[in-house]
Amino acid sequence: MISRRKFLKYSLIGAAGMAVPAGMTIVQGGTPEEARNKGLRWVFLVDTHKCVGCGLCVKACKQENEIPYDANVSRTWVERYVLTKDGEIHADSPKAARDGFISPDIDEGHGHKKVIKPEDISKAFFVPKLCNQCENPPCVQVCPVGATYQAKDGVVLVDRTWCIGCGYCIMACPYGVRFFHPVYHTAEKCNFCYHRISAGMKPACVEACPFGARRIGNILDPNDPVTQVIENDRVAVLKEEYGTKPQVYYIGLSKEVK
Amino acid sequence: MSNHVFRPLIVVIGIVALILVARYFYVPKDFGTYERGYMYSWHRKGDEEFWRNFKIKYQGKEYCKDCHADKYASINKSPHRIINCENCHGPAIDHPSDTRPKLAIDKSREQCYRCHVKLAYPTSDRVKIKGFTDPEKHNPKMECVVCHNPHSPKLGGA
C-alpha cells in the first residue's frame, strides 16, 4: 500500500519529468532565422520603376528551367497595369510577357484587344511576378505527401519524383505562382534558380534583366546591398494580410497590384 | 471470446502489418523532418541535391569575354552594354564544347520591339527609351540589324 507522502512525492517527480521535454522544445525552437546555421536566407527585390516590360526575364527563365517555350505556363511573368483617368484598371500579361509588351493595346484574352488612348492614361507600369518563397508557405502545408518543402535557406522546392499531382498546392498559393509542368505532370514553381544561386550565380531572370529591376540577396547578411534596401528604403510585399510572410520585396508597388 | 471476433481481427492486423512493411521498403531512407520542422520541411533530403545539380544554361556575359573580346569591347561602348549577350544569342550552355559550334541569334524585329516600341507610360522607365509609336511604318518586314548594328546601334557607328 502506497503512503500519502510517497504518492505526493512520486506525483511531483513525474510531473517535473514530463515538463522537461516540453521545456527543451522551447529552448531548441527559436525563430527559423536562428535555426539556420549558415546564416543564409534568400530574398528577392523588384524595382517596378525600372521594369520596362521587355520580358527578357521570362524568356531566360523558361529556357534556363526547361519550361516548354510555347506552353502557356511560366515560373515568372510580368504584368502590365494601365490605369485610366475614368478610374478603370486594365491589366494583362500576354504569354506571361515572354515576348514583352510590343503594343499599347491591352490583351483581354480570346483575341480581344482594348485600345487605350495615351491621353486617357493616368498611371501605367509593369510588375514582375515570381514565387515569394514565403516564410510560412501555405503550399507546403497542404502537400499530403511531403513532395514540396522549404529548404534551410528559405527556398521552397518541389520533389518531382514524390509529387502525386493532386494540385492542392496550386490551389493553396495565394499568388498563383504554381502550375503543372506540361512534361512531368508534377507541380512546378520558381525556386530562385536554386541550381544557380547554390553555385554562386544569379538567377537567370536577374542575369537577363538589362535594367536592374530584379535583384537577389541574403536577408541575414547586413552588408548585402539588397538587405540594406529592404531595411532602409520603402518596400512592400504582396498580400501581406494572408500571413504568409512573402520574401519578394517590391519598390514602387501600387495598391492596384494584387 | 469466439472465433468470429478473432478471425477478422487477425486479418486486419495482417493488412496493417503488410502496409507497414511495404512502407518501410518504399519510403526512401532520407525521407524525414528537417530544418523547418514537420510543417515545412518534411521531405526527401536527396531532392535538394537534384535541384542543386540542375543544368546551368545561361552563363553570363563574362563567359563570352575571352573568346569574343572584340564583340565584348564594342558592346560595352554602346548603350546596349546593359544587355546580356545571351538575351539575343541564346543560352550558351556548354558552347563551344557541346555540339553547337554556333549559337542561334535572335535577329527578329520583335526582339528589338521588346524595348523600342514606344509606350507612353508616365510612371515607368519604359517612356525614357527611344522607340517607335508605329514600328511597322519604318522599313517594314526588314530586320533592324540590316542597318543598325546591335553592338553599336547608332547609325554610322558609336
Side-chain angles (χ1 to χ4, degrees):
Chain A
M1 191 70 185
I2 190 164
S3 71
R4 182 181 291 181
R5 176 179 288 270
K6 271 187 177 168
F7 173 75
L8 288 171
K9 194 175 153 190
Y10 293 147
S11 302
L12 274 172
I13 291 168
M18 280 191 282
V20 168
M24 275 175 63
T25 49
I26 293 165
V27 175
Q28 282 175 350
T31 62
E33 284 78 13
E34 283 163 3
R36 290 182 190 127
N37 50 31
K38 268 182 85 182
L40 176 64
R41 205 305 174 194
W42 295 109
V43 293
F44 209 89
L45 180 64
V46 176
D47 189 336
T48 60
H49 296 288
K50 288 181 178 166
C51 181
V52 305
C54 68
L56 288 169
C57 50
V58 181
K59 183 184 180 183
C61 172
K62 292 197 100 169
Q63 298 193 87
E64 178 73 31
N65 293 299
E66 297 171 23
I67 307 300
Y69 203 64
D70 290 318
N72 203 14
V73 287
S74 184
R75 286 181 171 203
T76 186
W77 68 99
V78 182
E79 292 173 359
R80 164 168 65 182
Y81 287 81
V82 177
L83 281 57
T84 46
K85 285 169 184 162
D86 56 7
E88 288 283 309
I89 303 167
H90 307 276
D92 69 344
S93 184
K95 287 184 190 167
R98 185 197 74 185
D99 302 329
F101 293 88
I102 60 171
S103 161
D105 303 338
I106 301 290
D107 180 14
E108 293 187 318
H110 307 288
H112 294 289
K113 298 274 177 201
K114 172 93 182 170
V115 181
I116 296 170
K117 290 188 206 127
E119 59 269 25
D120 292 339
I121 298 172
S122 62
K123 269 197 247 180
F125 49 86
F126 300 99
V127 183
K129 295 264 183 93
L130 67 162
C131 175
N132 286 283
Q133 317 295 353
C134 302
E135 193 60 30
N136 298 329
C139 55
V140 174
Q141 288 186 35
V142 300
C143 181
V145 295
T148 186
Y149 57 94
Q150 191 175 46
K152 193 168 64 177
D153 48 21
V155 175
V156 175
L157 297 166
V158 181
D159 186 340
R160 281 182 183 164
T161 62
W162 214 240
C163 175
I164 56 170
C166 71
Y168 285 176
C169 56
I170 297 171
M171 305 307 284
C173 175
Y175 306 99
V177 304
R178 282 176 175 255
F179 57 92
F180 279 125
H181 193 290
V183 176
Y184 304 109
H185 306 296
T186 53
E188 185 71 22
K189 67 181 278 297
C190 158
N191 54 22
F192 284 180
C193 283
Y194 202 62
H195 54 305
R196 298 176 64 89
I197 57 175
S198 303
M201 297 171 87
K202 287 173 183 161
C205 61
V206 175
E207 189 80 50
C209 179
F211 304 96
R214 290 169 173 257
R215 294 162 80 185
I216 190 156
N218 173 15
I219 196 83
L220 299 186
D221 176 4
N223 299 318
D224 192 310
V226 167
T227 305
Q228 288 182 348
V229 171
I230 293 169
E231 289 185 348
N232 303 322
D233 215 334
R234 283 159 291 180
V235 292
V237 292
L238 293 167
K239 298 182 183 175
E240 196 175 9
E241 66 278 15
Y242 281 64
T244 54
K245 296 187 185 163
Q247 298 300 316
V248 175
Y249 294 85
Y250 286 88
I251 299 172
L253 204 60
S254 196
K255 67 178 192 304
E256 295 81 11
V257 181
K258 293 286 184 287
Chain B
M1 236 187 283
S2 51
N3 272 346
H4 78 277
V5 175
F6 276 116
R7 280 186 184 160
L9 196 68
I10 289 163
V11 171
V12 169
I13 290 169
I15 291 168
V16 169
L18 208 67
I19 290 168
L20 288 175
V21 169
R23 189 185 180 280
Y24 177 80
F25 288 105
Y26 185 70
V27 177
K29 291 290 160 283
D30 61 343
F31 198 100
T33 303
Y34 295 96
E35 296 87 1
R36 289 296 324 272
Y38 177 67
M39 193 187 280
Y40 295 123
S41 61
W42 179 59
H43 68 288
R44 191 170 63 85
K45 193 74 179 167
D47 187 59
E48 292 179 28
E49 220 41 53
F50 170 83
W51 286 110
R52 267 195 283 271
N53 296 332
F54 201 74
K55 180 83 187 146
I56 291 172
K57 284 119 195 151
Y58 276 72
Q59 303 288 0
K61 208 171 177 177
E62 299 306 305
Y63 182 83
C64 317
K65 191 172 77 173
D66 294 335
C67 302
H68 304 283
D70 52 328
K71 303 284 188 217
Y72 182 86
S74 71
I75 198 165
N76 273 341
K77 286 184 201 131
S78 90
H80 277 172
R81 76 181 80 86
I82 54 173
I83 302 169
N84 217 316
C85 312
E86 290 161 303
N87 280 345
C88 302
H89 294 264
I93 312 179
D94 290 325
H95 167 84
S97 58
D98 58 14
T99 49
R100 305 167 308 143
K102 268 186 135 24
L103 300 179
I105 310 172
D106 188 349
K107 294 178 180 174
S108 65
R109 281 175 82 93
E110 286 73 20
Q111 177 75 351
C112 307
Y113 287 175
R114 287 172 180 270
C115 298
H116 294 291
V117 164
K118 195 83 184 170
L119 296 177
Y121 294 163
T123 47
S124 165
D125 278 3
R126 175 72 171 247
V127 76
K128 296 178 189 165
I129 304 173
K130 270 193 202 170
F132 294 102
T133 353
D134 196 355
E136 297 300 337
K137 282 184 182 156
H138 177 85
N139 298 326
K141 303 243 168 6
M142 217 160 104
E143 281 177 356
C144 309
V145 297
V146 172
C147 304
H148 303 271
N149 174 6
H151 291 178
S152 173
K154 278 180 192 151
L155 288 178

